[in-house]
């Protein structure tokens, strides 16, 4: 009887699985792979990253909503400089305003 093949440490913790996916989804994935989108070169890399990303999304709480800029904070913004630039050939001036926070 033949001795079982020894696998490297990397492959000992991996398994081959079969996934049934809709053909249009496979074609979209392959198109992204061929176009080099995302830096993936194999279906395995693509699917693995998609699964890992999804698992992070569903297992972590969403980030807290950042508070809106309050009126008090808006009032503390003070103008620093106002400039008018002339557009070449149009004769029109474009005004811009810079602001800085005093907080």
């Amino acid at each position: 009887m033949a001795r079982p093949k020894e696998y490297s440490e990397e492959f000992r913790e991996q398994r081959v699985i079969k996934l049934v996916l809709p053909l249009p989804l496979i074609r979209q994935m392959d198109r992204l792979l061929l176009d080099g989108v995302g830096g993936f070169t194999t279906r395995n890399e693509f699917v693995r990253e998609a699964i890992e990303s999804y698992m992070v999304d569903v297992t972590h709480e969403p980030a807290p909503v950042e508070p809106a800029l309050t009126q008090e904070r808006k009032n503390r913004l003070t103008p620093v400089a106002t400039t008018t630039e002339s557009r070449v050939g149009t004769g029109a001036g474009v005004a811009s305003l810079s602001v800085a926070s005093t907080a």
Side-chain angles (χ1 to χ4, degrees), residues 2-88:
R3 184 173 172 186
K5 184 176 180 181
E6 288 290 323
Y7 292 99
S8 68
E9 189 64 35
E10 176 186 0
F11 289 111
R12 285 187 192 147
E13 296 299 318
Q14 296 185 23
R15 300 293 182 269
V16 174
I17 64 168
K18 180 178 180 179
L19 297 173
V20 178
L21 299 172
L23 188 56
L25 183 62
I26 294 169
R27 287 184 175 150
Q28 286 177 329
M29 175 178 58
D30 288 345
R31 175 55 41 207
L32 292 172
L33 290 169
L34 290 172
D35 291 346
V37 176
F40 303 108
T41 57
T42 67
R43 287 177 173 174
N44 187 65
E45 290 174 347
F46 189 95
V47 172
R48 175 186 238 160
E49 177 68 24
I51 292 170
E52 288 173 348
S53 178
Y54 181 75
M55 288 178 11
V56 167
D57 286 349
V58 298
T59 58
H60 287 79
E61 293 183 25
V65 177
E66 292 189 26
L69 190 62
T70 62
Q71 188 61 41
E72 175 189 346
R73 172 98 167 90
K74 288 179 186 177
N75 291 340
R76 287 188 295 193
L77 296 175
T78 56
V80 174
T82 304
T83 61
T84 303
E85 298 174 10
S86 178
R87 299 274 171 127
V88 177

